Amino acid sequence: MDPTEFIEESLPDRITKRDRERKNVIERRREERQSLAVESEQSSYFKDTFYSSCKKIKDMLDDAPSTPSSALPGIFEKSNKEIQLLKNYLSQSKMFLKVYDIRRAQENLQSLENQASELEMKLLPKKKFGFKNRRIVKKPSDKGLDITDGLKDLKISESIVNGSTKQNNKLSSKYGDSACMLLGKVNERIVLDAENVNKNDILLSDLIRCTVRIYGTPSTLHMVNLKQCTILVGPVTSSVYVHDCSDCVFAFACQQLRLHSSTDCTIYLHVTSRAIIEDCTKIRVAPYNWSYEDQTSHFNLAGLDPKINNWNCIDDFNWLSSEKHSPNWSILEPELRVKTWD
């Protein structure tokens, strides 16, 4: 073929190709500009909404010291709920925010949380945790089991903790003087009421064949070395930490769950993030189904959304394969789930 003829024939094709590439570049740049404009608008709207809400919360907290004491519980409940809503809003907005903006927003939330916590401790000091109205309920099937109501007016060492003073002081130092600690019980039924549980850290440790019902909204729940226990808990404001537990049944709602070194446990779970397990085996999960009077208000107080439940989204740190399901946890079959807890 004549080279001149080849050039003449291919020239229109080359022109068409270049024109198409030019148009593609123009279209891509236009889309990028639109995308940047949308992200900028979203970021601007987020900042206006987020920091306006932060200011309202701060103003409310700044006014707390001059607020009548009877109104303070409502003030702190509202501020904690608003902070939790802002956390959720930030989490949903991270996709279009810059790292600096995310960090700055997180710092503002942390500052508000610290201010709310310090004010609540100062203006509404927590009562010491203890037992009240200790009684034995004599039933043919419940011999030797202990039901406890009220849970106040006595010191921890008098009736909750079985152990040395040195051990109790060590635990108090680790979990705080206001923490509710239930240790070293065997074959007992125990009830913790909302009045003493709300906004307190809870520690359950070294329990064997016990049934514990916790009403209200604990701040954080720690469970260590439980065997053959049933633990029913209301909405937990932040995290549940479980260590070295075996052959137990748990039911709780929380923001996040961390389960370590445990085996053969069933968890009726409500969690708004993703649960994490590590060094665990034979873990079964099902949706949270324990209910009681005032539970809806406790969900609100804890800042948890009853409609958001990732009970079957479990991250196993010992199983990194994304192609195969972890053998360490499974979903409990519906026919095997507890229908009623009474």
Side-chain angles (χ1 to χ4, degrees):
M1 179 181 291
D2 184 0
T4 304
E5 182 180 353
F6 174 79
I7 294 174
E8 289 177 353
E9 289 179 351
S10 61
L11 184 59
D13 292 337
R14 293 205 305 274
I15 292 175
T16 301
K17 181 180 179 181
R18 287 185 178 180
D19 185 58
R20 185 168 59 250
E21 291 175 348
R22 181 182 62 83
K23 289 180 179 179
N24 288 340
V25 170
I26 293 174
E27 179 64 19
R28 187 166 59 251
R29 288 176 178 173
R30 184 182 66 81
E31 291 177 352
E32 289 175 353
R33 285 197 299 271
Q34 288 181 342
S35 177
L36 289 173
V38 170
E39 288 189 3
S40 177
E41 290 177 4
Q42 289 176 323
S43 177
S44 178
Y45 178 79
F46 169 83
K47 291 177 182 178
D48 290 343
T49 304
F50 181 86
Y51 289 107
S52 174
S53 298
C54 283
K55 185 178 185 305
K56 290 179 181 178
I57 296 172
K58 190 174 190 317
D59 290 343
M60 181 168 53
L61 293 174
D62 288 342
D63 292 338
S66 59
T67 301
S69 58
S70 59
L72 287 175
I75 293 291
F76 292 120
E77 178 180 349
K78 183 177 180 180
S79 64
N80 289 331
K81 182 178 179 180
E82 293 295 329
I83 290 172
Q84 185 60 45
L85 289 174
L86 284 181
K87 283 185 176 181
N88 295 338
Y89 183 39
L90 174 60
S91 178
Q92 295 167 3
S93 305
K94 285 182 178 179
M95 65 183 70
F96 57 79
L97 293 176
K98 296 179 180 178
V99 174
Y100 169 78
D101 293 328
I102 294 173
R103 186 180 298 115
R104 182 165 173 257
Q106 289 173 335
E107 289 173 352
N108 272 267
L109 287 176
Q110 187 62 55
S111 176
L112 288 174
E113 281 190 315
N114 292 342
Q115 182 181 2
S117 177
E118 291 171 2
L119 281 172
E120 188 170 4
M121 289 292 292
K122 179 181 178 181
L123 302 176
L124 291 176
K126 298 175 183 177
K127 297 179 180 179
K128 283 285 186 178
F129 180 72
F131 281 108
K132 183 184 77 172
N133 298 334
R134 186 180 179 91
R135 68 180 186 274
I136 302 296
V137 177
K138 296 181 179 179
K139 294 182 180 180
S141 59
D142 293 342
K143 290 183 178 179
L145 299 185
D146 181 15
I147 294 185
T148 307
D149 293 328
L151 307 174
K152 57 184 180 180
D153 299 334
L154 291 179
K155 296 179 181 179
I156 290 176
S157 59
E158 289 179 336
S159 52
I160 301 178
V161 176
N162 290 341
S164 66
T165 302
K166 183 177 180 180
Q167 177 194 16
N168 299 345
N169 290 339
K170 182 178 180 181
L171 290 169
S172 295
S173 175
K174 181 176 181 179
Y175 294 100
D177 289 335
S178 61
C180 307
M181 294 186 287
L182 179 63
L183 313 180
K185 298 293 184 179
V186 180
N187 290 332
E188 295 193 19
R189 289 190 175 184
I190 300 167
V191 176
L192 312 187
D193 65 12
E195 180 182 353
N196 295 276
V197 164
N198 286 350
K199 301 302 179 182
N200 273 316
D201 290 342
I202 306 291
L203 169 63
L204 309 179
S205 181
D206 300 308
L207 307 182
I208 301 175
R209 294 185 298 278
C210 290
T211 297
V212 181
R213 293 175 180 245
I214 302 176
Y215 298 93
T217 58
S219 177
T220 305
L221 174 63
H222 301 265
M223 294 186 283
V224 182
N225 194 30
L226 309 187
K227 301 182 187 303
Q228 300 177 34
C229 292
T230 297
I231 312 295
L232 309 177
V233 190
V236 179
T237 301
S238 56
S239 302
V240 174
Y241 300 97
V242 184
H243 296 266
D244 301 313
C245 294
S246 62
D247 196 17
C248 291
V249 176
F250 303 115
F252 49 73
C254 60
Q255 187 180 112
Q256 60 180 357
L257 166 64
R258 299 292 184 268
L259 185 69
H260 299 274
S261 306
S262 297
T263 186
D264 200 15
C265 292
T266 300
I267 306 174
Y268 292 82
L269 178 63
H270 182 108
V271 61
T272 55
S273 61
R274 293 178 67 91
I276 291 176
I277 66 173
E278 187 173 18
D279 299 327
C280 296
T281 58
K282 299 181 182 179
I283 303 301
R284 299 166 294 276
V285 295
Y288 181 68
N289 63 356
W290 184 49
S291 61
Y292 58 88
E293 188 178 358
D294 295 329
Q295 190 179 61
T296 300
S297 65
H298 291 163
F299 263 97
N300 292 333
L301 181 60
L304 299 181
D305 188 342
K307 297 179 181 178
I308 300 177
N309 188 5
N310 299 313
W311 65 273
N312 58 350
C313 298
I314 312 294
D315 291 331
D316 183 356
F317 279 11
N318 295 104
W319 189 260
L320 303 180
S321 173
S322 59
E323 298 178 356
K324 293 183 179 180
H325 188 281
S326 166
N328 298 318
W329 71 274
S330 62
I331 294 176
L332 184 65
E333 296 295 333
E335 61 270 19
L336 299 178
R337 297 172 187 173
V338 174
K339 301 299 188 296
T340 176
W341 296 96
D342 295 330

